[in-house]
Amino acid sequence: RAALEGGQPLHVQLANWTRETSICIINRSPENFDDDADGIVFSLTSQWWDLNGTLIKTKIHSIDGYKVLPYTVYTLHMEDFDFPTQATVGVSYLRLVLDSPTDPTVCLRGKYMGNDYLSPYGCSFNDYYLSDPEKHQNFTGLGDRRLKSSDLLRLDVKCLKDNINHSELSVQITNPNKALALQARVRVDDMRTKYFYSSQFVSLLPFERRNLTVKEMVRDGSKHSFRRSKQILLLIDGINIQSEKCVCETNSDVAAASVG
């Protein structure tokens, strides 16, 4: 997902990792976002979350479109948005969403030819799990949590087979927990076939839901494994997520994955 997001013409990301946070907006396109009569305004929402699911801090900035020039980087220095020192395991989750409330269609401008990836939120989306910048990326507390099975989260998974396009599978993952699920990864348990995933390593806020697409990379004339299979086995894991196998029954229109 990071490579797909990072390759977008308009992209938001963390500019530095020090106590004083900076965020940048990268415009790789020739688009001039001040070409409308009323002008375009971007909205940048930045949030710090604790891994226990508590929202620590939110900042919303309005950015005039004329500041985001073609082929340039616009940097925003975030005042009063330092790393939250009260993080329970010394690690916090940072979520960045760039949108345009004045003109939602601006998100589709400068779209690269042949790239059908769209951000799940707004024009651009990015997220990070970070430790205190003064402790040299110390993730010991997070590692200790992984060693305790009682601290690992279970996610809900549903799947839908496309009965027309037999090389495609839709997967819906939901975090039913009050804690934050970090870097969820869903894979088809099939080493013989190559698959393309619309998104991987997805972090989910409490009770958040995301839809993914899995496409089977098949050659012309070859058989589709999704079409031949009555059921598909998915593997799901993550940093603080219980590793499990999910069986998707694909002989019905919609099937909830049974975890076992």
Side-chain angles (χ1 to χ4, degrees):
R1 179 192 62 79
L4 291 170
E5 277 280 3
Q8 294 303 295
L10 196 62
H11 176 62
V12 63
Q13 69 179 47
L14 187 66
N16 69 331
W17 186 224
T18 62
R19 279 287 185 183
E20 298 177 353
T21 308
S22 295
I23 296 170
C24 64
I25 301 171
I26 304 172
N27 183 7
R28 294 189 176 92
S29 77
E31 283 290 335
N32 181 354
F33 295 106
D34 194 35
D35 57 1
D36 292 344
D38 297 329
I40 292 174
V41 177
F42 290 105
S43 175
L44 173 63
T45 302
S46 310
Q47 294 181 326
W48 280 117
W49 288 81
D50 193 291
L51 297 190
N52 64 11
T54 301
L55 176 60
I56 300 173
K57 187 181 297 186
T58 298
K59 278 260 185 176
I60 300 177
H61 288 87
S62 292
I63 303 166
D64 292 326
Y66 72 85
K67 295 181 180 180
V68 185
L69 299 173
Y71 305 114
T72 59
V73 177
Y74 174 80
T75 302
L76 182 65
H77 299 286
M78 307 284 285
E79 296 181 0
D80 301 322
F81 199 71
D82 297 345
F83 178 85
T85 55
Q86 67 268 39
T88 53
V89 295
V91 177
S92 292
Y93 173 75
L94 175 64
R95 173 170 287 195
L96 308 174
V97 178
L98 181 69
D99 206 349
S100 177
T102 57
D103 183 5
T105 63
V106 74
C107 299
L108 301 177
R109 293 191 182 187
K111 195 165 173 286
Y112 288 155
M113 187 67 68
N115 186 351
D116 59 359
Y117 176 79
L118 290 177
S119 171
Y121 308 98
C123 296
S124 181
F125 164 83
N126 216 330
D127 60 350
Y128 306 83
Y129 62 96
L130 300 163
S131 70
D132 190 325
E134 295 185 356
K135 297 183 179 180
H136 307 289
Q137 297 294 298
N138 183 357
F139 293 98
T140 303
L142 186 58
D144 292 342
R145 178 167 289 190
R146 270 195 60 79
L147 297 177
K148 294 177 60 178
S149 58
S150 58
D151 289 338
L152 298 180
L153 307 179
R154 300 185 70 180
L155 303 183
D156 293 337
V157 182
K158 294 182 179 180
C159 66
L160 169 65
K161 185 182 75 170
D162 190 330
N163 290 322
I164 298 176
N165 182 2
H166 295 286
S167 65
E168 191 167 305
L169 183 73
S170 296
V171 180
Q172 182 184 88
I173 56 175
T174 303
N175 177 16
N177 306 281
K178 294 181 180 180
L180 195 145
L182 278 180
Q183 303 284 284
R185 179 176 62 161
V186 176
R187 295 168 291 155
V188 179
D189 187 21
D190 179 8
M191 300 297 292
R192 300 167 299 175
T193 308
K194 294 182 180 180
Y195 298 94
F196 172 80
Y197 300 85
S198 64
S199 190
Q200 282 286 42
F201 302 104
V202 176
S203 293
L204 296 168
L205 301 178
F207 312 110
E208 187 176 23
R209 176 179 297 165
R210 285 281 297 277
N211 295 317
L212 316 176
T213 301
V214 182
K215 294 183 179 179
E216 186 180 353
M217 310 297 286
V218 295
R219 297 177 180 178
D220 293 340
S222 61
K223 295 182 179 180
H224 299 280
S225 64
F226 287 164
R227 185 174 187 174
R228 337 188 271 269
S229 304
K230 291 185 177 181
Q231 63 181 21
I232 297 171
L233 184 63
L234 298 179
L235 307 177
I236 184 166
D237 57 17
I239 290 180
N240 63 338
I241 299 168
Q242 181 72 48
S243 298
E244 296 181 296
K245 294 182 178 181
C246 307
V247 179
C248 293
E249 303 292 342
T250 60
N251 54 1
S252 58
D253 290 336
V254 180
S258 57
V259 178

